[in-house]
Amino acid sequence: MKAVQFTRFGSPGVLEVVELPVPEPGPGEVLVRVHAAGVNFFEVLMRADRYAVTPDLPMSPGVEVAGTIERAGPGADRSLIGMRVAVPLFAIGRGSGGYAEFVAVDSGAVMQLPDAVSFEAAAGLMVQGLTALHLLRRSPAKGKNVLVSAAAGGVGSLLVQLARRDGAKMVIAAASSNEKRALSLSLGADHAADYTAPGWQGHVKRLTGGLGADIIYETVGGAFSRAALDALAPCGELVLAAMGRFGLLDDNQSIKGFSLLPLLTPQGVREDLAELFELAAAGALTVFDGGRFPLHQAAEAHRAIEGRRAVGKVVLVP
């Protein structure tokens, strides 16, 4: 089978397509033919050795795939063959291997995918969908003025929709281009702010009657995180799901750290993904197609994310 891996750290050009044996499903396992593999920003950081943990090399990235069950190993239910499934590899301790034509996993790790949910949408509802869902659970938007950073991205576009469903008083989308702001508004944001414009925080304060956002869901990090503090209301909350460092805050504001993996349980993942898939199947949650790339263009997929050209969910389609 074809798979993408890198043997050294560096630019997107270090990603290469290699030939590997098709994995043999072991006892209780199934072989999944991958139709969509999610591409995530943390994989871009990992490839450049800028992530919190340095992976062992060679490495084949990819922690979420969707596809069809091709074969059942010894003891696995053969009636599963042909089923459309989502496989959240990250939730079963698999931090790699998704950028490939096939993966072998325990049959209990797959989730049946509704016919109305595409493979690409399923890939966008695993890491990003669960992140958006749990961000809102930790800091509910109901009755609050909220600001969503990178609002046209994989997490941000889902957060805009889920915050609106959660009963937010006002949803403000922060995005860097006219196209991205228009997309955010089409997904349910009340207002959009250009966070690349000088003084954008003042625009947020004017929209909120001079106060600022009660909650800022922050997935960008770096300079944006520091600048966002000026758009935060007194006693407001910055929910940080990105890397960054800060000094002490005035005005009784707070920073709440967010990490997805410690919040996940096997049963919780199944229930949460079922909820997200149901919303998507009913048309109540849209996963925006941020670009589909064949395996041999994995480097281009990374460049699209690294250069912040992508909106929605970027996937590889083996």
Side-chain angles (χ1 to χ4, degrees):
M1 70 172 184
K2 291 182 172 59
V4 175
Q5 70 174 26
F6 56 94
T7 57
R8 68 186 191 280
F9 300 111
S11 70
V14 303
L15 296 173
E16 57 182 353
V17 176
V18 297
E19 292 284 343
L20 297 175
V22 175
E24 188 67 30
E29 291 187 334
V30 292
L31 181 70
V32 177
R33 179 183 290 274
V34 177
H35 292 284
V39 182
N40 296 287
F41 184 66
F42 68 81
E43 292 157 0
V44 170
L45 297 176
M46 199 172 286
R47 185 213 71 230
D49 198 17
R50 292 164 45 210
Y51 194 56
V53 177
T54 296
D56 294 329
L57 300 179
M59 182 190 184
S60 177
V63 300
E64 54 186 352
V65 301
T68 53
I69 295 179
E70 187 99 347
R71 200 157 74 243
D77 185 355
R78 293 186 57 81
S79 69
L80 297 176
I81 295 174
M83 181 182 290
R84 303 174 73 252
V85 295
V87 189
L89 295 170
F90 61 94
I92 59 171
R94 289 270 295 273
S96 62
Y99 291 15
E101 292 182 308
F102 295 94
V103 296
V105 295
D106 188 281
S107 61
V110 304
M111 283 199 61
Q112 186 171 6
L113 198 59
D115 290 340
V117 179
S118 70
F119 296 121
E120 294 82 3
L125 289 170
M126 284 185 267
V127 171
Q128 275 100 344
L130 289 172
T131 296
L133 195 66
H134 281 275
L135 277 168
L136 282 164
R137 286 180 181 169
R138 285 177 62 79
S139 297
K142 186 174 182 178
K144 303 290 183 66
N145 294 320
V146 304
L147 175 72
V148 177
S149 70
V155 175
S157 60
L158 296 172
L159 262 175
V160 166
Q161 297 172 76
L162 291 173
R164 172 57 58 216
R165 286 182 57 85
D166 197 40
K169 180 180 179 181
M170 180 188 299
V171 178
I172 304 171
S176 60
S177 71
N178 288 332
E179 176 193 9
K180 292 177 179 180
R181 291 189 291 277
L183 171 63
S184 303
L185 292 169
S186 74
L187 293 175
D190 298 291
H191 304 280
D194 178 1
Y195 70 80
T196 66
W200 65 269
Q201 303 95 325
H203 178 53
V204 172
K205 288 195 170 183
R206 286 190 293 274
L207 291 172
T208 55
L211 296 175
D214 300 310
I215 303 174
I216 298 177
Y217 301 106
E218 215 301 74
T219 61
V220 175
F224 178 86
S225 295
R226 291 185 289 274
L229 295 175
D230 291 333
L232 191 63
C235 300
E237 185 179 326
L238 175 68
V239 188
L240 186 65
M243 296 179 181
R245 296 183 179 181
F246 306 92
L248 296 174
L249 305 181
D250 298 324
D251 297 326
N252 294 300
Q253 297 162 323
S254 63
I255 294 177
K256 179 184 287 186
F258 176 88
S259 179
L260 178 63
L261 287 179
L263 302 175
L264 302 181
T265 64
Q267 185 59 32
V269 167
R270 300 190 73 82
E271 292 173 356
D272 293 342
L273 286 178
E275 178 182 343
L276 291 167
F277 293 159
E278 183 179 345
L279 288 171
L285 187 63
T286 300
V287 181
F288 194 79
D289 184 351
R292 307 178 190 190
F293 298 82
L295 283 180
H296 71 270
Q297 290 184 358
E300 289 304 313
H302 272 225
R303 289 187 183 101
I305 291 177
E306 203 162 13
R308 302 198 182 278
R309 302 194 309 270
V311 295
K313 181 64 176 179
V314 174
V315 298
L316 298 180
V317 285

